[in-house]
Amino acid sequence: MSTDINTTPHRRYNILTGEWILVSPHRTKRPWQGKTEKQTTEKRETYDPTCYLCPGNTRNSGKTNPDYKKPFSFENDFPSLLPENPSEAYEQDLLKAEPESGICKVVCFSPDHSLTLPIMRVEDIAEVVKLWKREYAELGAQENINYVQIFENKGDIMGCSNPHPHGQIWSQKSIPTEVQKKSTHLKAHWEKTNRSLLADYLKQELELKERILEETEHFVALIPYWAVWPFEALIIPKNHYQHIGQLNEVEERDFAKIIKKLTIKYLPLIHIS
């Protein structure tokens, strides 16, 4: 590839969605007089009696958390999706809508209110991974659930409503459009080559060594070639897996290790999903 293309406007192809991303490298040279954020260090107590997620506290819904010692999950008191949706489909000329159902859960990473993923021990993050696996299997086995998304919104700017270390799980009846697009391209590459698209992509990135952020025995964190956001990371397993539930115990710990490495260096600069 011509080196000039990295310094002038161009489009990059997203192999997972089939879409082209506009890249304007020369824009980084413009002077910045916009908003800047000062890094602050907030010291929190290990237990907050007013926190809805701390062990033993009563949540806004009136339900009380158990005195949990390990990662703890519960159905979100204010879910984005409901298990049963009595609504009917709506269509009027160009206006179209249909009901969507699902189950939303909250995952407390630790009983310690003062922690975040970057400062948790690898062993404790591995316990979170185990809970993610269990929830993925249990939610995914339900008849009306066809997609399970595990994620964390980090910080006020991302809309995080509580500082206690936690993430969320959204499981729903339909498969989101973005996921459908990626599945289409993953399948097409497999049918054409009998190889994994992400495995082939990872092989090329490991040879180039231009966008690698962190690497462990079983995982690689990198900036995807088609990145849209200023800070964007993709974690790819070195072995071929269909989902998180296929990780063994050694890989769970290694996954926890790369999450810790990534979050120590780059949070709150990136949003981890």
Side-chain angles (χ1 to χ4, degrees), residues 182-239:
K182 293 178 181 180
S183 297
T184 297
H185 287 83
L186 288 165
K187 183 180 179 182
H189 186 82
W190 178 267
E191 291 177 343
K192 181 180 179 180
T193 66
N194 203 33
R195 297 193 308 271
S196 162
L197 176 60
L198 281 177
D200 283 355
Y201 170 65
L202 178 59
K203 181 176 181 293
Q204 185 174 0
E205 287 288 19
L206 287 173
E207 290 171 352
L208 292 172
K209 295 189 180 300
E210 294 177 354
R211 284 169 287 275
I212 305 298
L213 295 173
E214 296 292 339
E215 181 177 358
T216 58
E217 183 181 357
H218 299 284
F219 294 91
V220 176
L222 53 81
I223 300 171
Y225 182 69
W226 53 87
V228 175
W229 305 106
F231 298 93
E232 186 172 341
L234 180 65
I235 299 177
I236 305 177
K238 293 182 179 178
N239 294 322

Side-chain angles (χ1 to χ4, degrees), residues 53-64:
L53 302 183
C54 278
N57 287 358
T58 300
R59 305 197 299 271
N60 192 260
S61 64
K63 297 179 181 178
T64 300

